Amino acid sequence: MEEAVEAVVAAGVEPFPTVDKCDASGLGAHTSVVTDLDGTLLRSRSAFPYYALVAFETGGVPRLLLLLLLSPLAAALRLLASESACARVLVLGATAGARVRDVESAARAVLPRFYAADVHPAAWRIFSACSRRRVVLTATPRVFAEPFLRDCLGADAVAGTELATWRGRATGMVRGVLVGRRKAEALREILAADGDGGDAPDVGLGDSRSDYAFMSMCKEAYIVPRAPVEPLPMDQLPRPVIFHDGRLVRRPTPLVALLVVLWFPVGLALACLRIAAGALLPMPLVYYAFWALGVRVLVRGAPPPPRAERAKGRSGVLFACSHRTLLDPIFLSAALGRPVAAVTYSLSRLSEFLSPIRTVRLSRDRASDAAMIRDLLAEGDLVICPEGTTCREPFLLRFSALFAELTHEVVPVAMENRMSMFHGTTARGWKGMDPFYFFMNPSPAYVVTFLNKLPPELTCAGGRTSHEVANYIQRLIAATLSYECTSLTRRDKYRALAGNDGVVATPKPKVAS
């Protein structure tokens, strides 16, 4: 079969039909599929953006700059030498000296969101229809692609380029790049390990001559053409990407990566100026200072009046907010024109020092937290984010019901933000840099939407349970933002992204002997 394919190629004829000729209705639980990744299962033929993401997450701007400097060499080698030489240069720039656990962490928490936005619809139509066995062969390092392919696309086996390591760090070298005949050899090893050495895969998918070797081993094979297509909508994937991490908002093509490197020092200086304005100016002026410095604050709805203008003897208003970044309470205070205290589960010492409003840490002990919130409400208004952690995608996590038990003066607030270059949240990195990254965006924006205060009959004072109140507020905010409600929690997020429960252990005081 392979010799016949080579003869057809030598004659200048495409040996395989295009993927649109495949009838997916005849595929199912009895069929297996083998596919390439870049240019086949993914629309983009270039893996540079994924190397750039790993480079930035493991080494910041210096490593991203190194990768950019090496990228022209990689492109020239791909054209003049081989795909293997190109991959070796990219691996060297992206991973040399990086800790293996950092590379694995980025692959698990950062790359899936960008891979999910680049799935080829025609290839996915075939891949998803074959459910007996799904195999992916790729020149990309296996550690990059495997978490996404297995967890989000349901791949059963993934073979890719293996990174060389030494004492827990990547050397920048590889143990053979998986291209051409190496893909066919990897497929034979997978079939032999499964006891299917004599049973050829039913369908093969590829996009270039580098894939012909393994495609010729399949009973039928199809080429994914290079014509531009729209990506598969992410909500059609078997498992949506709700949680993801990483600092970069846009897919870092070479041009975007260059803009990030050039903007970074300018953005950092601008962020320091914006943070200083928010920390040093009186709160009534912060709103205008932000606008003057390029930070847009849009206020919608009718915020409640200050406590001094309300009836005497009433406790403070509790603002129940959706949670996008740790800056939510600050932008709510800017929208109100007065500082409002906030409670938080985790806040870095640096962020606490720079905060222009009072912040109080929750202890995660229900009784003590309830007593503290009551005391704060007796003093004035209070901001709380019942989700307990941030979520970047249009989903709301489960709302904790504790706040609903403590007051019936509840004002739901829908918070949303817009960032064009950097994310202002992290689950894996140092949270002290979160406000800096948010304010490093050229023109970040916050939209603060005040909803009507809950009527008494919809609070615990009206006979509702605290869970009913919390769920009602979650649905109300979700409807305002066109988000989807979930039952996911802070623990689910941190287990997915960081491999822990998101709880920072408090060091115990030493007992004097």
Side-chain angles (χ1 to χ4, degrees):
M1 178 65 176
E2 188 173 343
E3 291 77 6
V5 170
E6 291 178 353
V8 172
V9 172
V13 180
E14 179 60 60
F16 302 106
T18 55
V19 69
D20 59 289
K21 302 296 192 300
C22 180
D23 181 13
S25 62
L27 308 176
H30 60 285
T31 53
S32 58
V33 62
V34 182
T35 178
D36 177 43
L37 182 61
D38 296 306
T40 305
L41 197 53
L42 301 180
R43 296 181 310 151
S44 174
R45 293 173 54 81
S46 172
F48 175 86
Y50 308 109
Y51 286 98
L53 287 164
V54 172
F56 189 79
E57 292 301 318
T58 59
V61 171
R63 188 181 293 278
L64 182 59
L65 177 59
L66 173 62
L67 182 66
L68 272 172
L69 294 175
L70 291 175
S71 61
L73 174 61
L77 289 174
R78 185 184 183 95
L79 291 174
L80 303 177
S82 65
E83 182 182 355
S84 175
C86 171
R88 290 176 185 276
V89 172
L90 292 177
V91 168
L92 176 67
T95 67
R99 291 182 297 185
V100 173
R101 69 171 180 266
D102 291 341
V103 175
E104 294 172 343
S105 176
R108 181 181 67 250
V110 181
L111 297 188
R113 170 64 179 79
F114 292 91
Y115 277 132
D118 196 35
V119 175
H120 197 295
W124 171 250
R125 178 175 62 89
I126 307 305
F127 187 82
S128 61
C130 301
S131 54
R132 183 167 73 89
R133 186 156 185 79
R134 299 168 178 166
V135 179
V136 181
L137 308 173
T138 176
T140 296
R142 178 188 55 79
V143 68
F144 287 15
E146 189 168 32
F148 167 71
L149 294 172
R150 286 187 180 273
D151 297 341
C152 297
L153 299 191
D156 298 300
V158 178
T161 299
E162 296 293 335
L163 301 181
T165 62
W166 184 72
R167 293 187 176 182
R169 290 186 179 270
T171 64
M173 303 292 108
V174 297
R175 295 196 292 269
V177 179
L178 204 69
V179 295
R181 295 183 182 277
R182 285 183 178 272
K183 288 184 178 179
E185 294 170 3
L187 178 57
R188 292 190 187 96
E189 292 176 3
I190 291 173
L191 296 176
D194 293 340
D196 295 334
D199 188 10
D202 296 290
V203 182
L205 298 175
D207 70 295
S208 66
R209 292 189 178 185
S210 173
D211 302 324
Y212 289 174
F214 82 81
M215 293 172 69
S216 63
M217 297 171 57
C218 304
K219 296 176 182 178
E220 54 182 292
Y222 301 91
I223 285 289
V224 177
R226 300 186 181 185
V229 294
E230 290 297 316
L232 181 79
M234 287 195 291
D235 59 5
Q236 294 185 21
L237 295 177
R239 181 181 174 185
V241 180
I242 297 177
F243 298 127
H244 59 93
D245 206 36
R247 292 297 191 182
L248 298 182
V249 172
R250 296 181 180 274
R251 188 169 179 268
T253 61
L255 177 59
V256 171
L258 177 60
L259 291 176
V260 168
V261 171
L262 295 177
W263 174 258
F264 198 89
V266 178
L268 183 58
L270 183 59
C272 292
L273 180 60
R274 289 166 170 172
I275 290 173
L280 300 177
L281 292 176
M283 191 56 69
L285 299 181
V286 169
Y287 174 88
Y288 302 101
F290 278 168
W291 272 95
L293 293 172
V295 182
R296 293 167 293 163
V297 185
L298 306 177
V299 183
R300 297 172 181 169
R307 187 180 185 188
E309 300 177 14
R310 299 195 291 264
K312 292 184 179 180
R314 299 181 67 175
S315 66
V317 168
L318 189 147
F319 295 98
C321 304
S322 55
H323 202 7
R324 308 309 288 176
T325 74
L326 60 81
L327 298 171
D328 292 339
I330 295 174
F331 278 94
L332 185 142
S333 296
L336 290 171
R338 64 180 189 272
V340 180
V343 293
T344 177
Y345 282 105
S346 60
L347 191 67
S348 71
R349 295 297 182 186
L350 177 60
S351 298
E352 193 171 18
F353 172 75
L354 295 174
S355 177
I357 63 174
R358 180 185 178 189
T359 57
V360 181
R361 293 173 181 265
L362 295 174
S363 64
R364 300 186 186 277
D365 178 78
R366 188 177 182 85
S368 61
D369 287 344
M372 181 177 61
I373 292 174
R374 285 194 185 95
D375 292 341
L376 292 170
L377 286 171
E379 298 174 11
D381 298 340
L382 182 66
V383 181
I384 190 168
C385 299
E387 290 173 278
T389 190
T390 59
C391 182
R392 295 176 177 178
E393 294 300 304
F395 297 90
L396 290 185
L397 308 187
R398 189 183 71 192
F399 275 33
S400 170
L402 176 61
F403 73 94
E405 302 174 5
L406 307 177
T407 181
H408 61 273
E409 298 283 335
V410 180
V411 175
V413 184
M415 309 289 293
E416 52 184 329
N417 53 27
R418 299 165 190 165
M419 294 160 286
S420 60
M421 189 171 284
F422 302 108
H423 283 295
T425 59
T426 182
R428 301 157 39 255
W430 182 38
K431 292 183 179 295
M433 287 300 295
D434 286 359
F436 289 90
Y437 272 104
F438 177 83
F439 283 116
M440 282 170 61
N441 286 284
S443 184
Y446 245 94
V447 182
V448 183
T449 304
F450 293 94
L451 306 180
N452 294 330
K453 188 176 76 170
L454 289 192
E457 61 270 18
L458 293 180
T459 67
C460 292
R464 302 298 182 98
T465 67
S466 60
H467 289 91
E468 288 175 335
V469 176
N471 292 338
Y472 172 76
I473 293 177
Q474 183 196 37
R475 292 193 300 269
L476 187 63
I477 294 177
T480 302
L481 298 173
S482 297
Y483 285 5
E484 182 178 335
C485 294
T486 75
S487 59
L488 298 171
T489 66
R490 175 189 178 90
R491 178 175 296 179
D492 296 318
K493 171 185 171 179
Y494 278 86
R495 283 182 174 176
L497 300 182
N500 57 57
D501 289 344
V503 178
V504 180
T506 303
K508 297 181 179 180
K510 295 181 179 180
V511 179
S513 56

